[in-house]
Amino acid sequence: MMFDFFIEQILGMKWLSEAVWYVLINYFNADQNSNWWSSAHFFFYDTIKITILLVTLIYLISYIQSYFPPEKTKRILTHFDGFTGNIIAALLGTVTPFCSCSSVPIFIGFTRAGLPVGMTFSFLISSPMVDVASMLMLMSFFGPEFAIFYTVVGIILAVVGGKVLAMMKVERYLKKYDGAIRDFYSESEYFNQRQRLNYALNDTKIIVKKVFPYVLLGVLIGALIHNWIPQEFILTILGNNNPFAVILATVIGVPIYADIFGTLPIAEALYLVGVPAGTILALMMAITALSLPSLIMLSQVLQRKLLFLFIGIVSIGIIFVGYIFNLVF
C-alpha cells in the first residue's frame, strides 16, 4: 500500500490533478466534458507536475553527478575493457547530463583521451536516454513496469550498440577534433558538502531554464493530441493496426530536439488515446538518443560512414525494442 501511495500521490500527484479541477470548476465554472477545459486541465496539471518533479529530481541527480566529473569517469573507464567496459560506460552514462547535446562534448573528450570506441558509444547512447530522474518521471506517468523496462532496455541498447560498433573496428572513421569543448564539472570531484549542494542548486537553475521551454511545448502538443486530434486518426497512424507504427514513430522522433522531460507529456497524451506502449517507447528513445542537433555535433568528430552506422544500429535497436515491448505489454 505504501508503494501504491508513493506511485499515485507522490510521483503521480493524483492530488494535484484533483486540485486543478477543483480550482477550474469552482473559480472558473469549468465543464469537465469540454475540450477547452480538459485542455486547460491537462496543461496546468502537467506543467505544475513536471516542474515540481523536474526541480526536485534534477537537484538530487546533480548532487550525485558532482561525484562523477568527466575526468573521474575517464579514470574509472580505463580500468575496464571488453563487455564489462561497455556495461560500466552505459551505467556511468546514467549519472551524466540530461540531453544528448550535453553528452556529445563529453563523448568527444573521451575519444580524445583514447578510451575504447565501443565504451564511448555505450556512454553516448545511455547518457541522454537513461538516468534515475527519467526513471522516476516515467513511473509518475506510466507506472513502475514501464519505467523499469525503459531503463533496462535503454542500458542494454547502449551496451549492445557500443559492442557492435567496437566489433566493427570503427576507430578508423573517427575524425581528429581540435576545437574547444566545455570541460563539464571538472572541479566538482574535490568539493566539500556545502559546495556540492551549491553546485546542485546552480546546475538545477541552468538545466531547468534550458529544458523548461521544451516542457511547455511538449505539454501544449500533449494537450492538442489528447483533446483535439481525433483518436481514430492517431491510432490509424500509430495504432496496433499499422504494422509500421514503431518504425514511423522512430523516424518521427529523430528530427525532434527535446530531452526526456519534454517528451513525457507527448508520450502521456499518446498513451491516453490508446497508442501501444512500445510505439511510444520507440518515439521517446529516438528523440532522446538520435536528436538532429546532437547528430550535427557528432558529424564534427565522426566520418559520415560511422555517423550513419551509429544512426542505423541505434535505430534498429530502438525499432526491435519497440516491437518486443508491444508484444509483451
Side-chain angles (χ1 to χ4, degrees):
M1 288 184 65
M2 286 298 295
F3 182 73
D4 290 339
F5 177 82
F6 176 75
I7 295 296
E8 290 182 6
Q9 299 295 343
I10 305 301
L11 285 180
M13 297 188 197
K14 188 176 179 181
W15 59 270
L16 178 62
S17 176
E18 295 169 355
V20 171
W21 269 127
Y22 178 85
V23 171
L24 292 176
I25 292 171
N26 287 277
Y27 292 92
F28 298 94
N29 296 317
D31 177 6
Q32 287 182 281
N33 296 316
S34 163
N35 281 349
W36 286 104
W37 287 114
S38 293
S39 297
H41 174 268
F42 187 100
F43 178 82
F44 288 114
Y45 167 58
D46 270 39
T47 301
I48 297 169
K49 175 184 174 179
I50 293 175
T51 301
I52 293 172
L53 290 172
L54 192 66
V55 172
T56 303
L57 295 175
I58 288 181
Y59 184 86
L60 293 174
I61 301 304
S62 293
Y63 176 82
I64 295 171
Q65 284 179 357
S66 70
Y67 288 94
F68 294 94
E71 287 300 322
K72 185 174 182 178
T73 305
K74 283 187 219 174
R75 292 200 301 272
I76 293 172
L77 291 177
T78 56
H79 296 296
F80 300 93
D81 56 18
F83 193 69
T84 303
N86 289 96
I87 294 173
I88 299 300
L91 292 174
L92 285 172
T94 66
V95 290
T96 50
F98 295 88
C99 67
S100 52
C101 284
S102 296
S103 304
V104 170
I106 299 178
F107 168 81
I108 293 172
F110 286 174
T111 59
R112 272 183 173 179
L115 289 177
V117 69
M119 290 166 59
T120 60
F121 274 109
S122 289
F123 172 89
L124 179 67
I125 296 168
S126 74
S127 180
M129 191 188 305
V130 183
D131 55 62
V132 177
S134 67
M135 185 176 75
L136 292 174
M137 293 279 274
L138 286 165
M139 277 189 186
S140 74
F141 282 87
F142 305 111
E145 293 86 0
F146 188 101
I148 292 170
F149 191 91
Y150 177 90
T151 303
V152 171
V153 299
I155 292 173
I156 292 173
L157 182 61
V159 172
V160 173
K163 190 64 180 175
V164 169
L165 286 166
M167 292 170 61
M168 297 177 73
K169 310 280 186 193
V170 297
E171 291 87 347
R172 62 187 182 277
Y173 298 120
L174 289 172
K175 293 181 183 178
K176 185 177 179 181
Y177 182 82
D178 296 320
I181 59 171
R182 179 182 167 190
D183 190 8
F184 287 90
Y185 322 127
S186 59
E187 74 284 1
S188 65
E189 182 177 357
Y190 307 103
F191 281 173
N192 58 38
Q193 288 303 311
R194 185 187 183 94
Q195 289 173 310
R196 291 189 192 284
L197 293 172
N198 288 332
Y199 162 83
L201 179 61
N202 290 332
D203 215 39
T204 301
K205 292 177 181 177
I206 293 170
I207 293 173
V208 170
K209 184 178 179 180
K210 180 179 179 181
V211 306
F212 193 69
Y214 299 104
V215 170
L216 288 178
L217 180 61
V219 173
L220 285 170
I221 295 172
L224 179 67
I225 291 171
H226 184 237
N227 296 289
W228 295 101
I229 299 178
Q231 182 176 350
E232 296 77 15
F233 176 76
I234 295 172
L235 293 181
T236 298
I237 299 173
L238 297 177
N240 275 325
N241 292 330
N242 182 2
F244 303 105
V246 173
I247 298 172
L248 183 59
T250 304
V251 172
I252 291 171
V254 172
I256 301 173
Y257 174 58
D259 55 23
I260 189 71
F261 307 112
T263 63
L264 278 171
I266 300 173
E268 179 193 22
L270 293 172
Y271 187 75
L272 291 173
V273 299
V275 175
T279 307
I280 296 171
L281 189 80
L283 176 69
M284 295 176 70
M285 284 186 161
I287 291 173
T288 52
L290 294 173
S291 69
L292 189 58
S294 70
L295 296 179
I296 293 171
M297 291 178 67
L298 276 174
S299 67
Q300 299 177 53
V301 70
L302 307 181
Q303 292 183 26
R304 185 174 298 177
K305 185 171 183 177
L306 179 52
L307 182 64
F308 286 132
L309 268 176
F310 171 74
I311 295 170
I313 289 171
V314 175
S315 297
I316 290 169
I318 290 171
I319 292 167
F320 177 77
V321 166
Y323 279 115
I324 293 296
F325 197 76
N326 277 346
L327 289 174
V328 173
F329 286 83

